Amino acid sequence: MDNQSMIMESLTQRVSRPVLTDPGPDAEQLRMIFKAALRAPDHGRLRPWRFLTITGGARLKLGELFARSAVAEQPDLSPDAVERLKGLPLRAPVLIALICNLQEHPKVPELEQYLSAGAAAQNILHAAFAQGVGAMWRTGAVSYYSGTAKGLGLSDNERLLGFIYLGTPTGPTKKVDELNPADFVAPWKG
Ligand SMILES: Cc1cc2nc3c(=O)[nH]c(=O)nc-3n(C[C@H](O)[C@H](O)[C@H](O)COP(=O)(O)O)c2cc1C
């Protein structure tokens, strides 16, 4: 397969991998993943994104943070639900917290900055897939609790866009939904 075909194959066949185990991406794979993230389209070169990597024991601390943040919002949460939240970050060896860093700009509204950060996240997913690293973008209620943002050290102008879980994919690869572009595209004739 030539380079162009390989790239198109990768772009059209990417899938999320929910079941991830050790090992996580190595240092060079992670470097390439972030290099790809930084090529997101970015109006005004604001770089309205930053990322945190969460590995090893820090995942346990993140689980504790999820649990604390959830209980602060729902004090009657069952002990089972609290335990489940503590285990969420252990679903992969490496997590990337996606942060949109919103900046005041006369020409670049917040929406465009969210879109740019989302494009960076998509580049992360594609760079992982292209290198054989399993990845899945997850949010869930824990991503929207104010305690989670505070515990991760976000400033008032920053928003947590969720976590990309990375690792070695296990289990069967799901079939890509074969959607027909014609169902989503139409010529506009004025
Ligand atoms: C912002 C965002 C948040 C998401 N959060 C979750 C989540 O919390 N749990 C989940 O099962 N899927 C979540 N997804 C969907 C998966 O990442 C994935 O896209 C979906 O399972 C479809 O799989 P595919 O990427 O292989 O098409 C989220 C997707 C986006 C874009």
PDB file of all heavy atoms in Angstrom, residues 1-9:
ATOM      1  N   MET A   1       0.849  -1.202   0.000  1.00  0.00           N
ATOM      2  CA  MET A   1       0.000   0.000   0.000  1.00  0.00           C
ATOM      3  C   MET A   1       0.887   1.256   0.000  1.00  0.00           C
ATOM      4  O   MET A   1       1.859   1.307   0.755  1.00  0.00           O
ATOM      5  CB  MET A   1      -0.862  -0.008   1.275  1.00  0.00           C
ATOM      6  CG  MET A   1      -2.235   0.609   1.095  1.00  0.00           C
ATOM      7  SD  MET A   1      -3.156   0.808   2.642  1.00  0.00           S
ATOM      8  CE  MET A   1      -3.751  -0.851   2.920  1.00  0.00           C
ATOM      9  N   ASP A   2       0.561   2.245  -0.860  1.00  0.00           N
ATOM     10  CA  ASP A   2       1.383   3.454  -0.838  1.00  0.00           C
ATOM     11  C   ASP A   2       0.991   4.339   0.361  1.00  0.00           C
ATOM     12  O   ASP A   2      -0.012   4.079   1.029  1.00  0.00           O
ATOM     13  CB  ASP A   2       1.290   4.223  -2.168  1.00  0.00           C
ATOM     14  CG  ASP A   2      -0.124   4.714  -2.460  1.00  0.00           C
ATOM     15  OD1 ASP A   2      -0.885   4.918  -1.498  1.00  0.00           O
ATOM     16  OD2 ASP A   2      -0.458   4.891  -3.641  1.00  0.00           O
ATOM     17  N   ASN A   3       1.820   5.356   0.596  1.00  0.00           N
ATOM     18  CA  ASN A   3       1.621   6.203   1.787  1.00  0.00           C
ATOM     19  C   ASN A   3       0.234   6.820   1.850  1.00  0.00           C
ATOM     20  O   ASN A   3      -0.407   6.832   2.898  1.00  0.00           O
ATOM     21  CB  ASN A   3       2.638   7.349   1.779  1.00  0.00           C
ATOM     22  CG  ASN A   3       3.902   6.934   2.483  1.00  0.00           C
ATOM     23  OD1 ASN A   3       3.930   5.876   3.111  1.00  0.00           O
ATOM     24  ND2 ASN A   3       4.922   7.759   2.384  1.00  0.00           N
ATOM     25  N   GLN A   4      -0.209   7.326   0.694  1.00  0.00           N
ATOM     26  CA  GLN A   4      -1.509   8.009   0.673  1.00  0.00           C
ATOM     27  C   GLN A   4      -2.634   7.038   1.025  1.00  0.00           C
ATOM     28  O   GLN A   4      -3.524   7.362   1.814  1.00  0.00           O
ATOM     29  CB  GLN A   4      -1.735   8.599  -0.719  1.00  0.00           C
ATOM     30  CG  GLN A   4      -2.935   9.507  -0.760  1.00  0.00           C
ATOM     31  CD  GLN A   4      -3.106  10.151  -2.130  1.00  0.00           C
ATOM     32  OE1 GLN A   4      -2.154  10.248  -2.913  1.00  0.00           O
ATOM     33  NE2 GLN A   4      -4.301  10.568  -2.423  1.00  0.00           N
ATOM     34  N   SER A   5      -2.565   5.830   0.461  1.00  0.00           N
ATOM     35  CA  SER A   5      -3.604   4.836   0.770  1.00  0.00           C
ATOM     36  C   SER A   5      -3.561   4.465   2.246  1.00  0.00           C
ATOM     37  O   SER A   5      -4.604   4.262   2.878  1.00  0.00           O
ATOM     38  CB  SER A   5      -3.409   3.574  -0.068  1.00  0.00           C
ATOM     39  OG  SER A   5      -3.337   3.910  -1.417  1.00  0.00           O
ATOM     40  N   MET A   6      -2.337   4.358   2.796  1.00  0.00           N
ATOM     41  CA  MET A   6      -2.226   3.997   4.221  1.00  0.00           C
ATOM     42  C   MET A   6      -2.851   5.067   5.108  1.00  0.00           C
ATOM     43  O   MET A   6      -3.545   4.767   6.076  1.00  0.00           O
ATOM     44  CB  MET A   6      -0.760   3.793   4.607  1.00  0.00           C
ATOM     45  CG  MET A   6      -0.282   2.388   4.301  1.00  0.00           C
ATOM     46  SD  MET A   6       1.498   2.227   4.453  1.00  0.00           S
ATOM     47  CE  MET A   6       1.760   2.686   6.132  1.00  0.00           C
ATOM     48  N   ILE A   7      -2.604   6.320   4.749  1.00  0.00           N
ATOM     49  CA  ILE A   7      -3.164   7.415   5.560  1.00  0.00           C
ATOM     50  C   ILE A   7      -4.688   7.396   5.471  1.00  0.00           C
ATOM     51  O   ILE A   7      -5.388   7.507   6.489  1.00  0.00           O
ATOM     52  CB  ILE A   7      -2.596   8.776   5.101  1.00  0.00           C
ATOM     53  CG1 ILE A   7      -1.111   8.868   5.477  1.00  0.00           C
ATOM     54  CG2 ILE A   7      -3.369   9.935   5.726  1.00  0.00           C
ATOM     55  CD1 ILE A   7      -0.371   9.992   4.808  1.00  0.00           C
ATOM     56  N   MET A   8      -5.207   7.221   4.252  1.00  0.00           N
ATOM     57  CA  MET A   8      -6.667   7.220   4.100  1.00  0.00           C
ATOM     58  C   MET A   8      -7.304   6.014   4.793  1.00  0.00           C
ATOM     59  O   MET A   8      -8.379   6.120   5.387  1.00  0.00           O
ATOM     60  CB  MET A   8      -7.056   7.246   2.605  1.00  0.00           C
ATOM     61  CG  MET A   8      -6.753   8.565   1.921  1.00  0.00           C
ATOM     62  SD  MET A   8      -7.243  10.037   2.857  1.00  0.00           S
ATOM     63  CE  MET A   8      -9.012   9.876   2.876  1.00  0.00           C
ATOM     64  N   GLU A   9      -6.624   4.888   4.740  1.00  0.00           N
ATOM     65  CA  GLU A   9      -7.106   3.686   5.431  1.00  0.00           C
ATOM     66  C   GLU A   9      -7.197   3.981   6.936  1.00  0.00           C
ATOM     67  O   GLU A   9      -8.194   3.684   7.600  1.00  0.00           O
ATOM     68  CB  GLU A   9      -6.107   2.544   5.159  1.00  0.00           C
ATOM     69  CG  GLU A   9      -6.311   1.284   5.983  1.00  0.00           C
ATOM     70  CD  GLU A   9      -7.346   0.350   5.390  1.00  0.00           C
ATOM     71  OE1 GLU A   9      -7.880   0.673   4.305  1.00  0.00           O
ATOM     72  OE2 GLU A   9      -7.645  -0.668   6.033  1.00  0.00           O
TER      73      GLU A   9
END
